[in-house]
Amino acid sequence: MDRIAITGGAQLHGTIPVSGAKNSAIKLMAASLLTDEPLRLTNMPRLADTRFLGKLLTRLGVQVTESDGPAGQQTVLHAPEITSGFAPYDLVRQMRASFNVLGPLVARSGQAKVSLPGGCTIGARPVDLHLQALEALGAKIDLHEGYVYAQAPRGLKGAEIIFPIVSVGATEHAMLAAVLADGVTVIHNAACEPELADLQDCLNAMGAKVEGAGTPTIAITGVARLKGATHAVIPDRIEMGTYAVAAAMAGGEVRLTNARPGLIDALLDKLKEAGAGVEPTADGVIIRRNGHRLDAVDVETAPFPGFATDLQAQFMALMTTAKGESRIRETIFENRFMHAPELMRLGADISVSGGEARVRGVEQLEGAEVMATDLRASVSLVIAGLVARGETTVSRIYHLDRGFERLEEKLGACGAQVRRIKGDGEAEL
Ligand code: EPZ
C-alpha cells in the first residue's frame, strides 16, 4: 500500500485551487437515480469515494461517464432504467454514504434492498434517522440479515419529518426521497450545511420544488418526474479549510482559489484568533504566517455554521506547536480523536478525556512513522509532518485518497516536500 513521506521545514508559498466537494458530489451522484435523463455534474473531484459510488451506481443501472472538458472535470450519470434495486454489503461497507441510494431507489422504482453500512472508526453512526424519514414518507421498512428492505409500491407520500437531532446524511436522504413523493414534505430540524443547499439547487435544476435548504426547515413539493440537468458541484469547504490550516502550520503565504469565502468562517475566525493572517478574496482566501508562533485557542465542533468536525483533526495538528494549551471538544462523533496518539508519536503533548482533548503546544515536532486511521485524521498527520524535523511517513493513505484530490501535487506546488511512496505489496497490519 502507498505511503506519503513529508520532509518538514519548508514554508508554503503559492496558490492552491480547491476542488469540488466530496461530500456534496456523492449525494448529487445519487440524485441521478431519480431521473431517466442524464445528469451532468461539473467541478467534479476525482476521488476514491466518487469511484466507489460510481461502481455501485453502475450496478444499479446508471451509465457513469467521466471526462475532462474545457470547464474541467465532469461526470455524466444516466439511468434510463433502474436495472437492480440491490446495494450489496461489500459496496456499501466501503463508503457509508452509499446508503443514500436507498431513498432515491424507493422513490423511483418502489422498492430497494440496501445493506446497512455498519459502524466506522469515528463512531457508531447509526442510520435510524434515515429510516424514520423514509417511514414517515410511507415506505415499509424491514430489517433482515444486515439489509434494509424498503417498499412503497404505490409511491411515497409527502409528510412532516421532525428530526430529533441534526443529521446531514438523514436530511439529504429525506430530500432525495421526498422530491418524487406525492404532496408536500416539511423537514424540521434539518441540517444547514452548505452541501444541503447544493443538493437543493441541483434537484431544482432537475425540476424538483425544494426550498429552505441552508435553514432548519426545508419544504419540498413532490413532482411526478424529474429531468436531466447540468450542475456545478460546490467547492470543498473541508479541503479549503485543510489547506488554510496547512499554510498556518508551515508558514508562508498561500492563496486558496476556486472556493467560496463564507463556507469556513468558524475556522477562519479561529485562525485569526491564533494569530494567522487571513484575507478573504473574491474566490477564496489568502492565509499568511511569517515566522511568529501561533497562540493556542480552544475549539468545539458543532453543526454548520459552527466549527466543522471534519476540520477538528487538522486544527489539533496546528495546535501541537502553538504557544500554550488548547482545549478541543468534539461534539458530533464519539470517537474522533484517533489522530491524537499518532500526533503524539511526532512529539505532540496531548491528553484525551471523553470528548475533550488538551493540547499543550511544543516548540518542535520530530518526524516519525505514523498511521492514518480515517480520512481527516490522515491529513492532520501530513499537516504535522510539514513542520516536524526530518521525515514523517504516513501509512494507510488509502484513507487520504478517499477525500483529497492530488494532495501531494497541490502542496508540492507551494514548496512542500511531500512525496508518495508506491506500495511494494507488503501487507500492512
Ligand atoms: C456527514 O456525515 C459527512 N459525510 C461527515 O464527513 C461529517 O463529519 C458529518 O456529516 C458531520 O458534518 C458525508 O457527507 C459523506 P450526520 P453523516 O448524520 O451525514 C448521528 C468526512 O470525513 N446520527 O450529520 O453521516 C451520528 O452518529 C465525513 O468527510 C444518528 O444518530 O453525519 C452523528 O453522531 C466523516 N442517527 C450525528 O448524528 C442517524 O440516523 C451527526 O451525523 C444519523 C446520524
Side-chain angles (χ1 to χ4, degrees), residues 1-8 367-370 378 381-386 388 390-397 400 407-409 411-412 416-422:
M1 283 178 214
D2 293 1
R3 288 174 296 155
I4 281 199
I6 310 111
T7 306
E369 288 181 32
V370 288
S378 56
L381 301 173
V382 174
I383 288 172
L386 292 174
E391 188 165 273
T392 297
T393 317
V394 186
S395 57
R396 298 199 176 175
I397 54 146
L400 196 75
L407 173 118
E408 314 90 274
E409 194 186 311
L411 283 174
Q417 302 292 307
V418 182
R419 67 185 207 283
R420 182 175 289 252
I421 305 170
K422 284 286 175 194

Side-chain angles (χ1 to χ4, degrees), residues 42 160 220 237 241 300 312 331 336 362:
T42 59
E160 296 271 313
I220 301 153
R237 65 194 165 97
E300 175 167 323
Q312 179 259 106
T331 68
R336 207 171 193 183
V362 297

Side-chain angles (χ1 to χ4, degrees), residues 16 22 39-40 80 90 92 110 126 228 237 271 297 305 311 331 354 366 368 378 387 405 408 425:
I16 300 183
K22 165 184 90 83
L39 173 63
R40 179 186 308 270
D90 62 325
V92 178
R237 65 194 165 97
L271 288 177
V297 292
L311 289 169
T331 68
E366 301 287 339
S378 56
V387 300
E405 187 174 51
E408 314 90 274

Side-chain angles (χ1 to χ4, degrees), residues 9 35 50 56 78 91 116 140 146 148 154 166 176 190 204 217 247 271 275-276 333 336 347 351 357 364 384 393:
T35 174
T50 52
L56 171 60
H78 187 197
L91 289 180
L116 284 164
K140 182 173 174 296
V148 179
R154 280 192 287 284
V166 174
L176 281 165
N204 285 347
T217 309
L271 288 177
F333 292 111
R336 207 171 193 183
S351 47
Q364 179 68 54
T393 317

